[in-house]
Amino acid sequence: MNARTTRTLAAALSLTAALAISGCSSDSGDSGDGKPRMTVSGAYMPQPVNDKMAGAFMVIKNDSKTADKLTGVTSPLSDDLQIHETKDQKMQQVPSMDVPANGELKLERGGNHVMFMGLKNTPTVGDKVTVELHFEKADPVKVELDVKERTYNAQNSTGH
Ligand code: CU
């Protein structure tokens, strides 16, 4: 092996190392351009009583090291979706909600939730309702809500 071959080999090895490092960082949830990426689980809507309003619940997970905010929700089912928090058992609209870095935003019964004001139809159990979540930094995320029985509560299955 001459000196030239050794140098080429070293260059090839350091290139491989660089690729491995960048491969690693894209696994952390950042999409490469520094934007957080959200994953959503357990999204559902209890079957609405009428076409006046409906709630939506889910867990939004931020696996990146960049804190973000849920800033809005849209859906073909309604032109007016609001982000609500519950304080002293009363709900009120807020302009945005934090999704902490390496954390999650829980939208659950009795707490924070998405609220549909005025429905174009009344979905029933087994239907799917599409919503799009909008964030300050992350790209929008499309989510399918499973329409569940009115009494359904995802928390029941986790022992709360
Ligand atoms: Cu509400």
Side-chain angles (χ1 to χ4, degrees):
M1 190 183 278
N2 61 32
R4 189 183 157 78
T5 314
T6 310
R7 267 202 309 277
T8 311
L9 194 61
L13 283 173
S14 68
L15 183 65
T16 310
L19 285 173
I21 289 162
S22 69
C24 237
S25 76
S26 73
D27 285 342
S28 74
D30 290 316
S31 48
D33 48 7
K35 265 194 215 168
R37 211 170 40 216
M38 304 296 174
T39 50
V40 175
S41 59
Y44 72 98
M45 167 191 280
Q47 181 176 308
V49 178
N50 53 39
D51 63 0
K52 301 277 190 293
M53 60 174 74
F57 307 94
M58 69 195 77
V59 178
I60 303 169
K61 201 161 176 241
N62 180 359
D63 279 322
S64 76
K65 46 190 181 306
T66 309
D68 204 350
K69 282 176 161 55
L70 175 69
T71 54
V73 187
T74 53
S75 170
L77 181 63
S78 172
D79 293 328
D80 186 10
L81 270 76
Q82 303 180 352
I83 305 168
H84 281 184
E85 64 175 16
T86 308
K87 282 249 164 84
D88 302 327
Q89 315 216 359
K90 278 191 207 119
M91 58 187 190
Q92 59 187 45
Q93 190 179 3
V94 293
S96 68
M97 225 162 241
D98 290 337
V99 191
N102 294 307
E104 56 190 27
L105 170 61
K106 276 191 185 148
L107 303 178
E108 57 193 357
R109 281 181 181 269
N112 301 327
H113 57 278
V114 170
M115 195 119 192
F116 293 68
M117 309 300 286
L119 311 178
K120 292 175 182 169
N121 61 64
T122 310
T124 52
V125 174
D127 286 350
K128 305 249 190 215
V129 175
T130 306
V131 294
E132 192 168 68
L133 309 176
H134 300 266
F135 299 93
E136 193 174 76
K137 300 183 187 119
D139 288 330
V141 178
K142 271 216 166 81
V143 178
E144 285 216 316
L145 304 169
D146 287 321
V147 179
K148 301 282 195 183
E149 313 79 64
R150 243 158 246 164
T151 52
Y152 180 84
N153 190 340
Q155 295 305 309
N156 289 344
S157 55
T158 59
H160 287 286

